[in-house]
Amino acid sequence: MAERLADCKQEDMASVDHLVIGAGVVGLAVARELSQTRNSTTTLLIDKNQQFGMETSSRNSEVIHAGIYYPKESYRTQFCVEGKDLMYEYCAKNHVPYRQIGKLVVAQDKEKIEYLHRLHRHCAQVGVPVELVSEKRVLEMEPSVCCASLALHSPTTGIVDTHELMGSLLKDLTENGGGDFAPNTKAVAIQYDNPGYRVLVSTGDPDTPYMCIKAATVVNAAGLWADQIANMLASQSKHDWRSKYKLHFAKGRYYMYTGGPSKIKVQRLVYPVPDKNITSLGTHLTIDMSGAIRFGPDLEWVCSNEDYDFDSSIGGRGSAPSMDAVAAEIKKYLPRIEPSDIVPGYTGIRPKLQTPGGAFRDFVVQEEADAGLPGFVNLIGIESPGLTSSLAIARMQQQPPLQPDSKLLALRVSTIENLYYCDDCSEIRCNRCVIEEPAGYHCPNCLFDVPTASVRSEKNCCARNCFQCPICTHILSVVENDLEAKPFSLACSVCCWDSREIKWEFEKATGISAQIERMKQDDKQIKEYANLLEYWRSVHRLSATTASAGLGAHTLNSGQFKHRFGASVMPKTLTDSDIPEYKAVAYVETDHNRVSDLMAIENADYVSRLSVNACCNEPQRVRLSMKLARRCRSCHHILIKPESKAQATRFKIQLMAANFIPKITLPVSLSPRLASDVVLPQKPLRAGTAVPVVLRFSNPLYSEMQVCVSAHPQNDHAFVEIHAEKFSLPPFTELWEYDEDDYDDDDDDNGGDDGDGRSSMKQRGVVDRHGNRVAIQVNIMPKIPTDNLVIPLWVESTHQDDMDVDDDVKVDAKTGTAASSSSQRMVKNKFWVYVSLGCVE
């Protein structure tokens, strides 16, 4: 295959910017993110199977995890905690079925109870909301569940329809992002072709069995096959990662509950305490979106990543346990279960970097630039909680690939004006760290406020007389026509289009939308479309599968793998005899010439996409605009909340970072008093020549702030010397009094206090103090010529924050009045600042 790949000619290769290998939920999320955040690039997603998500992504518990088990600094915890919020937000926005139902982790002995206490402390450090509940409380929550005096309740755990989720991600990729998905396409060889990569794929087409693709970046999201994809480049890498990235396969069996709700009824997920190395979370109870109960998975190490047989294993290290053994495990937390209540369901295989009995291994999310392969990203060992983490992992692919000689590109840069500040958890937040939610809806044309409850019924459009012209998209006006039976119509003042051209005439000048709906009730095409839509919905319910977005194929929902016995390979696909015959309700004349033209098309690349207005000569209702509120992703504290009124431009709540952290600027000029002592650098700068740079810090708070500044230790572009690494910023106030003594040159060199509470200016490296501002001098010597010299500085600011304590209210015995007490806390913020100094010659 390597010879075949080397023989590929440039003109014969298909070229893309981003190639993602593997169409599981992680690959779909990554491809969607690349296609939507980089509009000027091309993204191709390939998978060796007939449809997306046919392996691990469709053979799991369909749980949105909270992120409570794994080490705090691990990728599993970080991606899970962030991905959970992203998942709930995405599902709500895109109408993907999900439910946040919570989870109970139950303990059955003293050792397990101690583990729950450790887990509770761990969740407090990670920031995941959980609570310890007593046995009595567990029985109130879930009467069918038993525990040994204690359980851990995780309220943010949920479930999701994984197939609907993957279908929505694929729709975003192919329809909204302009990307492409190629099933039945298997990567068989990869070669680094600086710059970029050559990828040889097999297509299964007898005419063109192989195809060569040239990609600028390649993302390996192949799941069970990710180590094999990585090994295609192992010989070209500076590091041999064959043993490091070797996958081990853990098969898990799922069992379906058939006892009925009269015997066992639960509303939450129920988990036992996991094993020591978190190899498995145990045979737990989960619920699918239809409410059906299932148990699993158990754990069996197997040698093949295609061993889905339920009863036996191919070279495995065990066999299927008996129903009595499975029921015995479940009885520990569900005592009423009997072996006759469960039947075999389906199996799934998890790709594990962890060896059997070995220590914990984290996800591999690594761009292999250090191995000499820039632009090649490995996503290996993505098992549980991979489904929950998928959107967070995808967000890491937003930025351009890092170059091996540029360590600073790993930092995300935002202007201070675009950063938020959470005063509840005292953290700086960017757009990636917030949750958006609608604060109000309004029509951008008439500025009419629309209640949230009626937005969906109005199809997210204005219900008043707001329509766009089908020709020029300008807003139409209601005009009155003389000597007409229906005297009103819609007309465009720009292109002179009139709704009478399509026989749209109205009796009244108000309620145009309602009159149009009444006119469409007798339209044959509208009736036939509604009937056809209901027919396909019935077929969809009958088949229990969902059509792939844009592919016309079916991919199976993991919740439907309910074979009673056997390997549970795939549910039976409907035959033509199972599908009911379609019966039309209205006769619609068919344009046979148009149908013949469409059937004659062989290459879809020549079919242009038309806008809505180009395909329809009817005016379109103006879509509603939305004002967004933003919350902190960690504590859900409101950061931005605009007024819901359309005319209002102010914010009810606006917590911006610029109002809480010191503002840093490069002064254009200095005061005349300092102009003789400090000289601003002349541009352009010259390599090898040291220049003084003045940085001005200003305090936006009403309390004094302590600031610590340090340079990046690995700056390859300049030497940086900071004299005043620590200094204080006076508090902000509306009125200032200045004394000449404040700037007395006889002050102590180390700075001091002038008796009025203000620090002295003559601190080493401090060149100016004025009000709440302090200017410091930084000496910089560029090393090499560059178009823009960027100096990263690490800034730490500390200040005291007053907190009202409502529970500690003291009453004055003499006056009888209550005086609220307050406490103070030290708030410390840390952040990177990039100082741009321009060209270096």
Side-chain angles (χ1 to χ4, degrees):
M1 292 301 173
E3 293 78 6
R4 185 188 294 270
L5 189 59
D7 293 339
C8 290
K9 298 180 180 179
Q10 188 71 29
E11 58 271 15
D12 297 333
M13 291 190 290
S15 180
V16 297
D17 293 300
H18 313 295
L19 176 67
V20 181
I21 303 173
V25 65
V26 175
L28 285 163
V30 170
R32 165 190 173 270
E33 195 73 28
L34 290 173
S35 66
Q36 293 195 338
T37 57
R38 306 182 186 184
N39 297 328
S40 59
T41 61
T42 54
T43 302
L44 175 63
L45 173 66
I46 65 173
D47 195 279
K48 68 181 186 63
N49 296 309
Q50 297 179 354
Q51 302 164 20
F52 60 82
M54 292 185 67
E55 295 177 354
T56 306
S57 296
S58 61
R59 295 172 175 267
N60 55 66
S61 301
E62 298 184 302
V63 174
I64 301 177
H65 289 283
I68 66 177
Y69 294 110
Y70 304 102
K72 179 180 178 180
E73 303 301 329
S74 66
Y75 273 150
R76 292 200 190 192
T77 296
Q78 296 176 18
F79 288 144
C80 186
V81 173
E82 179 184 2
K84 171 188 60 179
D85 294 330
L86 291 173
M87 185 67 68
Y88 283 134
E89 181 182 353
Y90 179 85
C91 292
K93 184 177 179 180
N94 295 275
H95 309 292
V96 175
Y98 77 99
R99 290 166 58 198
Q100 186 173 333
I101 58 178
K103 176 176 75 172
L104 287 173
V105 183
V106 295
Q108 304 302 334
D109 52 49
K110 184 177 180 180
E111 181 182 353
K112 301 294 177 62
I113 292 175
E114 293 177 356
Y115 175 84
L116 289 187
H117 284 288
R118 294 196 302 270
L119 192 60
H120 183 261
R121 293 192 295 269
H122 169 73
C123 292
Q125 297 175 355
V126 175
V128 177
V130 295
E131 60 175 339
L132 290 172
V133 293
S134 64
E135 182 180 7
K136 180 180 178 181
R137 176 68 176 138
V138 170
L139 290 176
E140 293 174 357
M141 299 169 68
E142 298 292 349
S144 301
V145 177
C146 73
C147 67
S149 75
L150 200 64
L152 186 77
H153 178 222
S154 170
T156 58
T157 303
I159 57 176
V160 65
D161 189 328
T162 55
H163 188 79
E164 290 285 353
L165 171 65
M166 290 188 288
S168 179
L169 293 172
L170 183 60
K171 182 178 179 181
D172 288 344
L173 167 67
T174 58
E175 296 184 11
N176 303 330
D180 295 291
F181 172 48
N184 295 317
T185 305
K186 180 180 179 180
V188 295
I190 306 177
Q191 184 181 78
Y192 181 46
D193 187 23
N194 189 14
Y197 297 85
R198 293 187 179 192
V199 183
L200 184 68
V201 298
S202 62
T203 62
D205 188 348
D207 296 330
T208 55
Y210 294 99
M211 178 183 296
C212 190
I213 301 174
K214 179 63 181 294
T217 61
V218 176
V219 179
N220 172 20
L224 295 169
W225 310 84
D227 58 342
Q228 299 186 25
I229 297 295
N231 289 342
M232 295 178 185
L233 282 169
S235 60
Q236 305 171 51
S237 168
K238 294 180 180 178
H239 314 301
D240 190 353
W241 56 49
R242 288 183 177 88
S243 60
K244 177 183 176 182
Y245 291 163
K246 179 176 176 55
L247 287 176
H248 307 272
F249 307 113
K251 182 166 72 172
R253 299 175 179 85
Y254 290 84
Y255 304 85
M256 315 309 297
Y257 173 69
T258 60
S262 60
K263 186 173 183 179
I264 294 175
K265 185 177 182 180
V266 292
Q267 299 177 344
R268 297 168 182 84
L269 311 181
V270 183
Y271 280 60
V273 172
D275 58 22
K276 182 178 179 180
N277 294 327
I278 325 179
T279 307
S280 172
L281 299 183
T283 304
H284 47 265
L285 181 154
T286 59
I287 308 170
D288 64 17
M289 291 304 301
S290 65
I293 297 175
R294 57 190 168 191
F295 301 98
D298 55 12
L299 176 65
E300 179 192 354
W301 295 98
V302 295
C303 297
S304 171
N305 57 6
E306 296 180 297
D307 180 11
Y308 291 107
D309 190 82
F310 199 98
D311 294 325
S312 60
S313 301
I314 304 172
R317 304 182 178 114
S319 59
S322 65
M323 290 298 146
D324 292 337
V326 175
E329 287 294 318
I330 302 173
K331 266 182 175 292
K332 293 178 181 180
Y333 59 85
L334 213 63
R336 299 184 61 188
I337 199 75
E338 297 295 338
S340 58
D341 295 331
I342 55 176
V343 296
Y346 59 97
T347 61
I349 299 178
R350 287 157 282 176
K352 287 182 172 291
L353 289 165
Q354 181 178 354
T355 58
F360 169 80
R361 288 286 302 274
D362 200 4
F363 292 163
V364 170
V365 182
Q366 177 69 41
E367 195 227 357
E368 304 294 350
D370 291 339
L373 299 172
F376 183 76
V377 180
N378 271 322
L379 306 179
I380 303 178
I382 310 297
E383 48 158 330
S384 179
L387 170 64
T388 311
S389 305
S390 57
L391 295 178
I393 293 174
R395 286 233 172 169
M396 287 195 67
Q397 315 304 321
Q398 286 183 341
Q399 299 296 325
L402 307 181
Q403 299 301 323
D405 59 345
S406 183
K407 305 291 185 184
L408 302 181
L409 288 178
L411 302 174
R412 305 292 176 87
V413 182
S414 300
T415 59
I416 189 173
E417 292 80 7
N418 296 328
L419 293 174
Y420 310 103
Y421 186 84
C422 178
D423 59 354
D424 191 43
C425 57
S426 301
E427 295 289 344
I428 302 170
R429 301 298 183 196
C430 66
N431 287 326
R432 297 176 63 247
C433 306
V434 298
I435 300 174
E436 294 181 343
E437 58 185 30
Y441 297 85
H442 67 276
C443 173
N445 178 52
C446 64
L447 298 182
F448 178 73
D449 294 308
V450 181
T452 304
S454 62
V455 170
R456 191 166 187 176
S457 61
E458 294 296 340
K459 301 177 181 178
N460 200 29
C461 296
C462 181
R464 308 181 81 189
N465 298 344
C466 298
F467 290 84
Q468 287 182 312
C469 176
I471 306 301
C472 63
T473 70
H474 282 79
I475 301 300
L476 299 177
S477 304
V478 180
V479 297
E480 185 175 4
N481 305 303
D482 297 333
L483 303 176
E484 295 283 350
K486 296 181 179 180
F488 299 99
S489 64
L490 295 171
C492 179
S493 60
V494 178
C495 65
C496 299
W497 181 88
D498 195 288
S499 64
R500 289 178 293 179
E501 297 178 13
I502 59 173
K503 299 180 181 180
W504 276 20
E505 297 174 307
F506 310 101
E507 297 176 352
K508 298 185 298 182
T510 58
I512 298 297
S513 298
Q515 295 183 64
I516 292 175
E517 291 297 325
R518 288 195 296 269
M519 285 191 297
K520 287 186 174 182
Q521 288 179 356
D522 299 328
D523 191 301
K524 293 182 179 180
Q525 291 188 357
I526 298 296
K527 287 184 178 180
E528 190 64 27
Y529 174 78
N531 182 62
L532 187 62
L533 183 62
E534 181 58 33
Y535 169 77
W536 282 113
R537 282 176 177 170
S538 65
V539 173
H540 170 82
R541 290 190 294 266
L542 182 64
S543 62
T545 58
T546 305
S548 301
L551 294 178
H554 291 277
T555 305
L556 301 169
N557 191 333
S558 62
Q560 307 302 325
F561 286 45
K562 297 181 180 179
H563 285 289
R564 187 173 294 269
F565 301 102
S568 178
V569 179
M570 288 290 174
K572 179 183 177 182
T573 305
L574 287 181
T575 61
D576 294 340
S577 60
D578 298 325
I579 300 177
E581 182 181 357
Y582 175 72
K583 296 180 180 180
V585 297
Y587 174 74
V588 180
E589 186 175 353
T590 304
D591 187 350
H592 295 283
N593 294 330
R594 177 63 173 164
V595 173
S596 300
D597 293 339
L598 292 174
M599 294 180 66
I601 294 176
E602 296 181 355
N603 191 345
D605 294 335
Y606 295 103
V607 181
S608 61
R609 295 184 178 182
L610 302 179
S611 64
V612 174
N613 288 332
C615 299
C616 178
N617 61 348
E618 295 181 357
Q620 304 297 313
R621 295 166 64 184
V622 175
R623 299 189 66 83
L624 299 177
S625 295
M626 177 172 56
K627 286 188 175 182
L628 294 175
R630 294 176 172 87
R631 293 180 180 268
C632 174
R633 192 175 294 279
S634 297
C635 64
H636 289 219
H637 186 66
I638 294 180
L639 308 179
I640 293 289
K641 188 173 184 179
E643 288 281 0
S644 57
K645 296 291 184 181
Q647 298 88 342
T649 58
R650 69 185 185 91
F651 290 85
K652 289 183 178 180
I653 300 174
Q654 188 176 21
L655 301 178
M656 305 303 293
N659 300 326
F660 292 88
I661 62 176
K663 183 179 180 180
I664 306 171
T665 56
L666 286 169
V668 179
S669 61
L670 297 174
S671 61
R673 181 176 55 80
L674 297 172
S676 59
D677 299 331
V678 180
V679 179
L680 293 177
Q682 300 294 323
K683 295 184 178 181
L685 306 177
R686 298 187 180 277
T689 303
V691 294
V693 176
V694 176
L695 298 179
R696 178 176 289 163
F697 292 75
S698 58
N699 184 0
L701 300 175
Y702 290 96
S703 59
E704 187 179 52
M705 183 180 294
Q706 303 296 325
V707 179
C708 179
V709 184
S710 57
H712 195 287
Q714 298 179 351
N715 194 337
D716 298 330
H717 297 87
F719 293 104
V720 181
E721 182 183 16
I722 303 175
H723 296 294
E725 293 186 343
K726 296 182 179 180
F727 55 90
S728 61
L729 287 176
F732 173 81
T733 182
E734 286 80 3
L735 298 176
W736 291 95
E737 295 180 0
Y738 303 105
D739 297 326
E740 293 182 359
D741 295 340
D742 289 343
Y743 307 104
D744 190 357
D745 292 341
D746 295 333
D747 288 334
D748 183 52
D749 289 342
N750 295 325
D753 194 286
D754 59 6
D756 195 21
R758 289 182 290 248
S759 299
S760 172
M761 180 197 72
K762 296 300 283 186
Q763 178 184 347
R764 183 172 180 267
V766 175
V767 299
D768 189 16
R769 288 185 183 272
H770 187 77
N772 64 326
R773 299 188 298 271
V774 172
I776 67 171
Q777 179 174 324
V778 179
N779 294 330
I780 297 175
M781 185 174 72
K783 296 180 181 179
I784 57 176
T786 180
D787 293 336
N788 184 25
L789 177 61
V790 177
I791 304 299
L793 299 177
W794 177 248
V795 179
E796 298 182 8
S797 63
T798 307
H799 68 275
Q800 284 189 344
D801 184 23
D802 294 331
M803 299 185 300
D804 293 332
V805 182
D806 298 332
D807 297 335
D808 187 13
V809 179
K810 300 178 180 179
V811 180
D812 193 321
K814 295 181 179 179
T815 62
T817 58
S820 62
S821 64
S822 63
S823 63
Q824 289 185 333
R825 61 170 179 172
M826 296 301 298
V827 178
K828 190 171 186 178
N829 296 119
K830 305 176 183 180
F831 53 92
W832 284 102
V833 173
Y834 278 79
V835 181
S836 177
L837 298 177
C839 176
V840 177
E841 294 182 347

